[in-house]
Amino acid sequence: MNIYEFLPIRLLVEAAYTVVTTISSFLEPLTGGFSAALAVIVLTILVRAVLIPVGVSQVKAGITRKRLAPKISALQTKYKKQPELMQQKLMELYKEENASPFAGCLPVLAQTPVLMAVYGLFIHSTISGHANELLGHTLFGLPLNTSFFKLLGAGDLTGTAITVYLALVVFIAVVAGFSRRLLTPAAPETPAATPSATRSGSDAPTMPDLSGVMKTLSFMPFLTAIFALFVPLAAALYLATTTTWTLCERLALNRVLGANEPQPATNTRVAG
């Protein structure tokens, strides 16, 4: 089954097509052949602007986790010989504080449909029953619907293509490095369900290994740089723009919300 035949995805692609072609038509008198590429960048910025509340909630959740770290450590110490009870208490703590251990995933998940739409814009010859005019647009002579590995497989790699893709990958990787160094929080060690707890058959909810989740998320921007080589050039532009936005947004929100300031000491005593 072609996922782009699924009605919500098809409608999303059609909406993205309308937005990108409209922006491109406005930009073309000023930017010429770069209009479609710039329209994709503008679309990315518009999407990320709409998702600013998601970024705010992500930063607030990070502040909460940082504040709760002493309590989490105390629970781990008190219930280290009772793994099931420890998991239950940890989940209760997150629930009481209205915090989510998966807040770091929200921006990625929220953007996935948009990235699918941008990808779809440059792989279909027709959209809404009409010829896809975006397929005729280029960036530095490279069609926006091509990819590095597509060119490599066809033997059409030129010096321009290598330069453009190398610049994109290096740019994304550099931004990712800054993001990981400046923004990745030190996640508290939260144990996953132990084998003994799993075998017990208890119905108590289990707590995921948050340290592993956070480490995995911290490497995702680097995977984005590799992914950019496989997708259409337009989608690679989307990835480069959204990665840059993430870094700038988080730096700004961390400053505004005081995420880097020392958190007030909390009472680490836990009730029995």
Side-chain angles (χ1 to χ4, degrees), residues 34 43 48 58 61 80 84 113 120 142 150 177 190 194-195 199 220 237 253 268:
F34 295 101
L43 172 65
R48 292 308 308 266
Q58 182 186 18
K80 63 181 179 180
E84 291 181 12
L142 297 175
K150 184 177 180 180
T190 306
T194 62
R199 290 194 299 267
M220 285 191 67
L237 290 174
L253 290 178
T268 57

Side-chain angles (χ1 to χ4, degrees), residues 38-120:
L38 291 174
V40 171
I41 294 174
V42 172
L43 172 65
T44 310
I45 293 173
L46 292 176
V47 170
R48 292 308 308 266
V50 171
L51 293 178
I52 286 177
V54 177
V56 172
S57 66
Q58 182 186 18
V59 173
K60 287 183 177 179
I63 295 173
T64 300
R65 286 196 300 269
K66 184 177 179 181
R67 177 171 55 81
L68 294 180
K71 289 185 178 182
I72 293 175
S73 179
L75 286 172
Q76 292 171 345
T77 300
K78 182 172 182 178
Y79 298 108
K80 63 181 179 180
K81 295 183 179 180
Q82 299 172 281
E84 291 181 12
L85 186 56
M86 181 199 300
Q87 294 159 23
Q88 180 181 340
K89 293 293 184 181
L90 286 170
M91 293 194 72
E92 289 176 357
L93 178 61
Y94 276 108
K95 185 176 180 179
E96 290 171 2
E97 297 290 341
N98 195 28
S100 170
F102 300 108
C105 303
L106 291 177
V108 175
L109 294 177
Q111 289 184 79
T112 300
V114 182
L115 178 57
M116 289 178 60
V118 173
Y119 183 89

Side-chain angles (χ1 to χ4, degrees), residues 128-147:
S128 299
H130 303 286
N132 184 355
E133 65 179 70
L134 292 175
L135 299 184
H137 288 268
T138 62
L139 177 65
F140 298 114
L142 297 175
L144 290 178
N145 65 326
T146 193
S147 69

